[in-house]
Amino acid sequence: MDVDAARRIIVALDFDTAGDAEAIVARLGDAGQAYKIGLELLTAAGPALAARLAAEGKDVFLDLKLFEIPTSVAGAVRAAGRLGATMVTVHAMAGIRIMEAAVRAAADFPQLRVIALTVVTSLTDADLADVGVRATTAEQVPRLARLTRHAGCHGVVASAQDAATLREHLHPGMLIVTPGVRLRAELAGQAATEHARPADPVAAIRAGASHIVIGRSLTRAPDPATVLADLTDELGNIAATRRG
Ligand code: C5P
């Protein structure tokens, strides 16, 4: 197995019990090398699973979506680092001093990357206007991406649609973590008229994502381990072609 490719596919453990999350981790076995733990599982089950996965050598993305005063953000990032997390998220909308505090706190943990969210995909231009932001989401996303670069963040969360255009606002080494993907087989079953179709994982990587986050499309598949292994092979082949 191409471990580098496997670590680029982050499986979202969006469950409300540790048992459900552990069941999918067990089913994925060696195919699963990277997991995202969000606020639901963390609040319901605590950080023990994150620590255990990290101790087993898995990549652990703690999706904390931090938006707090710098001292509190730095404390939460250090706590994530001590758990062995490899990625932690902070809101770019919180401002540059908060992102800088996160990056400074992460410096004590060589494995830990600070990933910033720009505009949460569920927000519309009208939602931004409601909170006093006059820019559109299309203007706000690159603006915040530039701010993440100035803050020294290691990467951003971005949709596959935004990934290619965001690249020009980021340092070349910055990561782009892309959620909202659907397996090709699932997309093929959707009505052609449906707009805003999500990208499939390969399309997201081709658009410039360094990592993808995949949840229900994979975890609800009848045979998730085989689907994930096949996807890893496909991404590994893309990387090999690029190198070759
Ligand atoms: O939809 P799916 O189950 O694949 O979602 C997996 C993860 O991706 C969720 O935990 C959510 O945080 C994230 N996501 C996102 N933006 C979207 C869709 C999903 O950030 N548009």
Side-chain angles (χ1 to χ4, degrees), residues 32-238:
Q33 292 292 328
Y35 290 99
K36 179 169 93 75
I37 294 181
L39 298 174
E40 181 183 11
L41 184 59
L42 203 58
T43 307
L49 181 60
R52 211 194 74 208
L53 289 173
E56 287 172 6
K58 308 291 185 188
D59 283 355
V60 175
F61 174 0
L62 274 192
D63 196 8
L64 300 181
K65 296 187 164 68
L66 298 169
F67 194 136
E68 249 281 14
I69 60 168
T71 309
S72 301
V73 165
V77 169
R78 279 194 299 273
R82 284 194 291 269
L83 279 176
T86 50
M87 286 184 186
V88 64
T89 42
V90 57
H91 274 285
M93 290 270 262
I96 193 159
R97 284 194 302 117
I98 275 119
M99 287 190 281
E100 284 172 344
V103 170
R104 271 198 304 274
D108 290 340
F109 304 92
Q111 88 285 357
L112 185 56
R113 300 283 170 267
V114 175
I115 308 295
L117 290 118
T118 57
V119 180
V120 178
T121 47
S122 58
L123 290 180
T124 64
D125 292 351
D127 292 324
L128 291 184
D130 279 345
V131 294
V133 175
R134 274 202 287 267
T136 63
T137 56
E139 291 162 345
Q140 193 72 348
V141 169
R143 177 198 197 110
L144 291 174
R146 287 192 294 275
L147 202 61
T148 71
R149 188 188 72 204
H150 295 316
C153 289
H154 305 100
V156 295
V157 176
S159 69
Q161 287 74 23
D162 289 337
T165 49
L166 277 192
R167 264 280 162 231
E168 61 197 68
H169 301 285
L170 304 174
H171 281 309
M174 283 177 74
L175 307 175
I176 296 182
V177 181
T178 297
V181 293
R182 290 286 172 271
L183 293 171
R184 226 169 3 223
E186 203 177 329
L187 288 172
Q190 286 181 3
T193 52
E194 190 180 328
H195 55 264
R197 285 160 67 100
D200 73 78
V202 170
I205 294 286
R206 286 196 196 283
S210 59
H211 295 75
I212 57 142
V213 174
I214 186 161
R216 293 160 293 179
S217 196
L218 177 77
T219 58
R220 294 181 185 174
D223 183 1
T226 302
V227 172
L228 184 53
D230 289 348
L231 196 53
T232 301
D233 284 345
E234 225 178 327
L235 296 195
N237 288 339
I238 296 177

